[in-house]
């Protein structure tokens, strides 16, 4: 009887293994980031085409186009560095709302007259140490103080802005250090220094996430904290390190921004937390943790930067630009919800 | 458990220690730079003689940029210059609701005069009315109340006039250079604010007189980093420009940096507000910044002086009237290399 049944069922089941082998890698879970990144590259290409169609006289000039590419990348550099740190935190199951405020504290602290008197190294050291220390405080509050990341970093966002205002005496602090100021205008072999810094941070972030135990642990901690704990990972320590990493990225971004603006002030890097979170999300990072890519986050930042550029060259208002940004975030999350399903699966559900 | 608490203590003390070490190098020894009236010549101005004691309560939003900081510093310094003024400053808190609460407490303490820079004129209108009904004259600084009964004196800058002055200066300069169809850029501050719209309207109107118009407009947020971003975008969008008006000298630090970074020197730039850094740059004349139109925080000093006169029921000595006028709008002046020396003391 049982033999009979299986025999009759064979024809019905037969196509299944065939379709599995056909769609093996491309539709597999592992190819999801690649599919998404190709999607984002597609979006970038569409944006460039729109730019070329709307302003042909600009896009006809090769040197302008090269210059424009560097401009877009430079505009993305500081926020890109922050997004790398943010991506780690989100993959690790957290969120960091204090990044903009950390940049402000680090930027302001490194440009006080006292710090500036220690020279370039003193300014860079201060920015990095302040960023890491504030990140550590975030991490300790969350890990050992058992505060929800949203609340802890929200509190830090408010407090750090306050600290920045206190340190700066509510004034814009101009950087008199020409080495720092020159970072933003220096080019090495035709590539702007800021773009090189972004590339180094992104490459470092990629290696750290994909090729080290630290990266694997981050995914494990964010994906399933209990399983990670049972597997022997020190979740608390790891969480502290993730926020410190985010703080480190903020410290680096503070130097980049200070160099670009040749000054720092308490209100600098306003709302960077939202831009960084949005970029990470449209780059395919799950807000609930355990999944995400650095390259995707970078593309997320580039999409925003390219939209800003597109609106600028067409002299369109920033209001419309913000609406478009919002729509892109929603679209990205909608796509994310269907990430495991093929289109046919999607339609067969209805 | 023991282990955990020890670790907590360790982390806590490490964090505090690091904080202490870093605090050691935060000192900012810039002297406070204020613009006040120090005229004590009682013969030339009888009002300068000490009179009846006046308690002035002052409230302004927590400063998020240089201009608001200068407002508070000026008010404080001007009050300190009078021996007959007692100055009570109240933090306005984070928003209009917090400022309302702070002011209600103040009203119950019955100061002689209240001087305030509201978070928002419309939202603080009721508090103005309440104070006036309680018999406390209110001096509104810069952000008007809709009800005329809500204030005794309103002293403010001229946003439309700023745009007008900037547009006129740019128009004259370009006309003198015989540029018939110039490309003009504009970098306003926070675009949703009424003051930004008024400035832009004035600018547009002044340019219209010369038959010019704004080719590209990228708003920033009154901070140097947003100024740099907006200017970078604008300069990238316009490969060649003739003139640029940036609404705010604080964000102008970033705008100038962007011009430097993209190696652009072909245009003339006009600033806004009249900061010390901008005036210095205009005098040095080695950047694209050639002029700035004022919106001076010295109005806070004048507000305190006038509040004192209101408290003492005196008029302005050069006017016939026995009391201080109800509304004063400061003129927006154009600072160029030629007249910068006389404005140097008003830079903030």
């Amino acid at each position: 009887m049982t033999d009979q049944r299986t025999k009759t069922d064979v024809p019905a089941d037969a196509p299944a293994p065939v379709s599995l082998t056909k769609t093996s890698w491309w539709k597999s879970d592992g190819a999801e980031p690649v599919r998404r990144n190709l999607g984002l590259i597609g979006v970038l290409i569409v944006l460039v085409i729109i730019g070329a169609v709307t302003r042909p006289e600009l896009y006809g000039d090769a040197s302008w186009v090269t210059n424009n590419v560097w401009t877009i990348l430079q505009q993305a550099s500081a926020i890109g560095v922050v997004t790398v740190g943010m991506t780690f935190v989100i993959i690790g199951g957290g969120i960091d709302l204090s990044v903009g405020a950390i940049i402000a504290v680090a930027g302001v602290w490194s440009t006080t007259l006292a710090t500036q008197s220690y020279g370039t190294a003193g300014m860079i050291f201060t920015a990095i140490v302040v960023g890491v220390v504030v990140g550590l405080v975030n991490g300790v509050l969350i890990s050992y103080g058992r505060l929800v990341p949203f609340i802890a970093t929200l509190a830090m966002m408010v407090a750090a802005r306050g600290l920045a205002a206190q340190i700066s005496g509510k004034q814009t602090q101009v950087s008199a250090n020409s080495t720092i100021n020159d970072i933003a205008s220096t080019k090495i072999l035709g590539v702007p220094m800021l773009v090189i810094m972004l590339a180094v941070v992104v490459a470092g972030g990629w290696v750290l996430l994909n090729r080290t135990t630290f990266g694997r642990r981050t995914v494990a901690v964010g994906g399933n904290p209990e399983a990670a704990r049972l597997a022997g990972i020190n979740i608390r320590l790891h969480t502290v390190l993730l926020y410190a990493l985010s703080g480190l990225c903020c410290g680096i971004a503070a130097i980049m921004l200070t160099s670009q603006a040749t000054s720092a002030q308490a209100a600098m890097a306003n709302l960077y937390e939202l831009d960084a979170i949005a970029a990470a999300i449209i780059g395919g990072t799950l807000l609930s943790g355990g999944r995400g890519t650095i390259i995707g986050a970078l593309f997320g930042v580039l999409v925003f930067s390219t939209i800003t550029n597109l609106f600028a060259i067409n002299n369109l208002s920033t209001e419309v630009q913000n609406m478009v940004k919002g729509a892109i975030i929603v679209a990205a999350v909608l796509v994310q919800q269907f990430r495991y399903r093929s289109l046919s699966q999607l339609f067969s559900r209805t | 458990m023991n282990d955990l608490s020890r670790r907590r203590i360790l982390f806590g003390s490490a964090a505090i220690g690091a904080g202490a070490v870093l605090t050691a190098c935060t000192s900012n020894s810039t002297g406070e730079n204020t613009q006040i009236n120090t005229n004590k010549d009682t013969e030339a101005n009888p009002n300068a003689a000490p009179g009846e004691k006046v308690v002035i309560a002052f409230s302004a939003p927590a400063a998020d940029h240089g201009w608001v900081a200068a407002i508070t510093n000026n008010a404080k310094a001007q009050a300190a210059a009078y021996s007959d003024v007692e100055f009570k400053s109240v933090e306005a808190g984070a928003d209009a609701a917090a400022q309302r609460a702070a002011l209600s407490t103040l009203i119950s303490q019955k100061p002689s005069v209240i001087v305030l820079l509201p978070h928002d004129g419309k939202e603080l209108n009721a508090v103005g009315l309440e104070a006036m009904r309680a018999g406390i004259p209110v001096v509104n600084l810069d952000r008007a109340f809709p009800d005329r009964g809500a204030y005794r004196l309103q002293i403010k800058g001229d946003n439309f006039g700023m745009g007008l002055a900037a547009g006129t200066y740019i128009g004259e300069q370009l006309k003198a250079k015989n540029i018939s169809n110039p490309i003009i850029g504009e970098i306003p501050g926070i675009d949703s604010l009424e003051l930004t719209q008024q400035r832009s309207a004035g600018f547009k109107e002044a340019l219209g007189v010369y038959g010019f118009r704004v080719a590209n407009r990228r708003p920033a947020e009154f901070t140097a980093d947003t100024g740099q971003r907006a200017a970078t975008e604008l300069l990238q969008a316009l490969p060649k420009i003739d003139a640029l008006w940036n609404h705010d000298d604080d964000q102008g630090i970033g705008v100038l940096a962007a011009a430097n970074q993209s190696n652009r020197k072909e245009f003339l730039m006009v600033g806004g507000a009249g900061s010390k850094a901008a005036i210095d740059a205009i005098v040095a004349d080695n950047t694209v910044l050639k002029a700035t139109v004022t919106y001076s925080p010295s109005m806070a000093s004048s507000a305190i002086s006038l509040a004192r006169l209101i408290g003492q029921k005196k008029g302005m000595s050069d006017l016939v009237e026995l009391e201080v006028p109800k509304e004063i709008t400061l003129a927006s002046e154009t600072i160029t290399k030629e007249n910068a020396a006389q404005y140097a003391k008003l830079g903030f």
Side-chain angles (χ1 to χ4, degrees), chain B residues 113-265:
Chain B
V113 188
I114 291 177
V115 178
L116 86 152
L117 176 70
H119 268 286
D120 182 305
K122 290 186 191 94
E123 290 188 64
L124 269 299
N125 186 50
V127 178
L129 283 172
E130 188 189 336
M132 290 291 282
R133 277 191 204 121
I136 306 166
V138 174
V139 176
N140 176 308
L141 244 177
D142 202 43
R143 297 180 189 166
F145 292 140
D147 277 333
R148 295 179 59 84
Y151 59 91
R152 165 64 187 80
L153 164 68
Q154 179 185 287
I155 176 164
K156 62 184 175 75
D158 186 1
N159 285 305
F160 189 87
M162 261 179 104
L164 217 51
T168 307
Y169 179 81
I170 287 175
E172 286 299 322
Q173 292 292 314
L174 296 181
K175 204 175 83 179
K177 287 185 195 163
N178 269 326
I179 302 172
S180 59
N181 203 2
I183 297 167
I184 299 168
E186 184 184 359
I187 299 181
I190 298 172
D191 215 13
S192 57
L193 297 179
E194 201 182 338
L195 69 93
T196 300
Q197 289 152 17
Q198 288 169 350
R199 289 177 187 185
S200 284
F203 190 54
K204 194 177 167 191
E205 189 174 303
L207 290 181
V209 172
Y210 299 89
F212 301 161
R213 59 177 197 89
V214 174
N216 203 325
R217 188 173 179 280
R218 295 286 102 200
E221 292 164 20
F222 293 129
T223 58
D225 63 324
T226 57
Q228 191 269 351
R229 294 188 80 80
T232 303
E233 293 292 352
L234 185 130
L235 293 173
Q236 184 61 27
L238 302 170
K240 185 191 162 296
I241 63 174
D242 297 294
L244 172 67
W245 183 38
N246 160 57
H247 287 204
D248 181 82
D249 285 335
D250 243 22
Q251 75 187 19
I253 296 170
V255 175
L256 280 177
N260 265 337
Q261 285 152 15
S262 47
N263 249 328
R264 298 280 294 268
K265 298 183 182 74

Side-chain angles (χ1 to χ4, degrees), chain A residues 43 60 76 84 129 143 186 212 226 253 301:
Chain A
V43 172
V84 169
V129 169
S143 275
T186 305
T212 66
E226 187 57 19
V301 174

Side-chain angles (χ1 to χ4, degrees), chain A residues 11-145:
Chain A
D13 285 341
V18 175
S19 68
L20 248 180
T21 48
K22 251 186 184 174
T23 60
S24 59
W25 184 79
W26 180 246
K27 285 196 174 176
S28 73
D29 213 20
E32 199 272 330
V34 178
R35 287 200 305 267
R36 173 180 291 275
N37 288 348
L38 284 176
L40 287 171
I41 291 173
V43 172
L44 282 173
I45 291 172
V46 170
L47 290 174
V48 170
I49 290 173
I50 295 175
V53 169
T54 50
R55 295 300 301 271
E57 73 280 16
L58 289 179
Y59 271 87
D61 178 356
S63 70
W64 183 87
V65 173
T66 318
N67 211 355
N68 200 41
V69 171
W70 293 136
T71 302
I72 291 174
L73 286 168
Q74 283 190 72
Q75 296 285 69
S77 59
I79 188 72
V81 168
V82 176
T83 304
V84 169
M86 181 68 83
T87 306
F88 270 93
V89 170
I90 297 179
I91 293 176
I95 190 101
D96 190 348
L97 297 178
S98 63
V99 290
I102 299 179
I103 293 176
V105 178
V108 158
W109 208 319
S110 63
T111 51
T112 59
L113 292 176
T115 316
Q116 286 197 43
S117 70
Y118 289 99
T120 314
M123 289 173 72
I124 294 176
F125 176 80
T126 307
I128 301 234
V129 169
V130 170
V132 171
V133 167
V134 178
L136 278 174
V137 173
N138 271 337
V140 169
L141 287 175
I142 290 161
S143 275
Y144 297 97

Side-chain angles (χ1 to χ4, degrees), chain A residues 162-251:
Chain A
L163 178 61
Q166 182 72 35
I167 293 172
S168 64
K170 302 163 184 174
Q171 299 284 347
T172 302
Q173 297 182 162
V174 175
S175 158
N177 185 309
S178 58
T179 315
I180 294 281
N181 294 351
D182 284 348
I183 294 174
S185 46
T186 305
K187 286 189 175 183
I188 295 172
L189 299 173
V191 183
M193 186 73 177
L194 291 171
V195 178
I196 295 174
M197 290 173 79
L198 172 65
V200 168
V201 171
V202 167
W206 187 87
V207 170
L208 190 60
L209 184 64
N210 297 301
R211 292 287 181 271
T212 66
T213 10
F214 182 87
R216 299 289 175 211
R217 284 179 178 168
T218 304
V219 175
V221 167
N224 188 338
E226 187 57 19
R229 193 183 65 80
L230 293 172
I233 298 174
N234 186 342
I235 300 181
R236 289 179 163 184
L237 180 61
H238 195 83
T239 305
V240 172
L241 292 179
L242 284 177
Y243 285 94
L245 180 68
S246 174
L248 171 68
C249 288
C250 293

Side-chain angles (χ1 to χ4, degrees), chain B:
Chain B
M1 215 35 215
N2 255 340
D3 179 46
L4 211 161
S5 58
R6 201 182 305 140
R7 199 182 296 162
R8 275 186 181 167
I9 292 166
L10 200 80
F11 266 109
S13 54
I16 292 166
V21 168
L22 281 167
T23 314
C25 58
T26 51
S27 77
N28 237 341
S29 48
T30 34
E32 293 220 324
N33 161 38
T34 52
Q35 307 85 41
I36 58 167
N37 171 18
T38 49
N39 181 6
K40 292 216 163 84
D41 184 354
T42 49
E43 285 203 11
N45 175 16
N47 283 344
E52 188 189 332
K53 190 176 174 221
V54 179
V55 180
I56 297 178
F58 178 80
S59 169
D64 46 7
H65 66 287
W67 190 86
V68 181
I71 284 279
T72 306
N73 292 341
N74 281 344
K76 220 176 270 178
Q78 183 66 65
Y82 292 116
S83 57
D84 51 3
V85 167
E86 187 191 328
F87 187 69
K88 274 191 185 170
S89 181
V90 195
E91 262 304 326
D95 52 21
Q99 193 176 22
R100 263 201 304 270
L103 282 166
S104 296
T105 320
L106 258 187
I107 292 169
S108 63
Q109 293 169 9
K110 289 261 170 201
S112 325
V113 188
I114 291 177
V115 178
L116 86 152
L117 176 70
H119 268 286
D120 182 305
K122 290 186 191 94
E123 290 188 64
L124 269 299
N125 186 50
V127 178
L129 283 172
E130 188 189 336
M132 290 291 282
R133 277 191 204 121
I136 306 166
V138 174
V139 176
N140 176 308
L141 244 177
D142 202 43
R143 297 180 189 166
F145 292 140
D147 277 333
R148 295 179 59 84
Y151 59 91
R152 165 64 187 80
L153 164 68
Q154 179 185 287
I155 176 164
K156 62 184 175 75
D158 186 1
N159 285 305
F160 189 87
M162 261 179 104
L164 217 51
T168 307
Y169 179 81
I170 287 175
E172 286 299 322
Q173 292 292 314
L174 296 181
K175 204 175 83 179
K177 287 185 195 163
N178 269 326
I179 302 172
S180 59
N181 203 2
I183 297 167
I184 299 168
E186 184 184 359
I187 299 181
I190 298 172
D191 215 13
S192 57
L193 297 179
E194 201 182 338
L195 69 93
T196 300
Q197 289 152 17
Q198 288 169 350
R199 289 177 187 185
S200 284
F203 190 54
K204 194 177 167 191
E205 189 174 303
L207 290 181
V209 172
Y210 299 89
F212 301 161
R213 59 177 197 89
V214 174
N216 203 325
R217 188 173 179 280
R218 295 286 102 200
E221 292 164 20
F222 293 129
T223 58
D225 63 324
T226 57
Q228 191 269 351
R229 294 188 80 80
T232 303
E233 293 292 352
L234 185 130
L235 293 173
Q236 184 61 27
L238 302 170
K240 185 191 162 296
I241 63 174
D242 297 294
L244 172 67
W245 183 38
N246 160 57
H247 287 204
D248 181 82
D249 285 335
D250 243 22
Q251 75 187 19
I253 296 170
V255 175
L256 280 177
N260 265 337
Q261 285 152 15
S262 47
N263 249 328
R264 298 280 294 268
K265 298 183 182 74
E266 80 278 12
F267 59 96
L268 77 96
M269 172 173 155
V270 177
S275 77
K276 198 170 174 311
I279 296 176
D280 288 348
I282 291 167
V283 172
D285 199 17
N286 52 9
T287 65
V288 287
L289 186 66
K290 300 300 174 203
T292 187
V293 291
T294 61
Y295 197 92
S296 179
S298 62
M299 68 175 75
S301 314
S302 302
I304 294 292
S305 297
L306 293 171
R308 169 175 168 268
L309 293 182
I310 291 170
Q312 295 173 344
K313 299 192 173 55
K314 289 180 187 165
M316 294 163 78
S317 55
D318 281 342
L319 303 185
V320 182
E321 286 75 20
L322 297 178
E323 298 230 1
V324 171
K326 187 167 169 76
E327 284 180 15
I328 295 177
T329 303
L330 303 173
S332 179
E333 297 149 70
T334 309
I335 304 178
T336 60
K337 196 182 174 186
E338 286 69 40
N339 64 9
Q342 73 190 88
Y343 284 97
K345 73 182 172 76
L346 286 182
F348 64 95

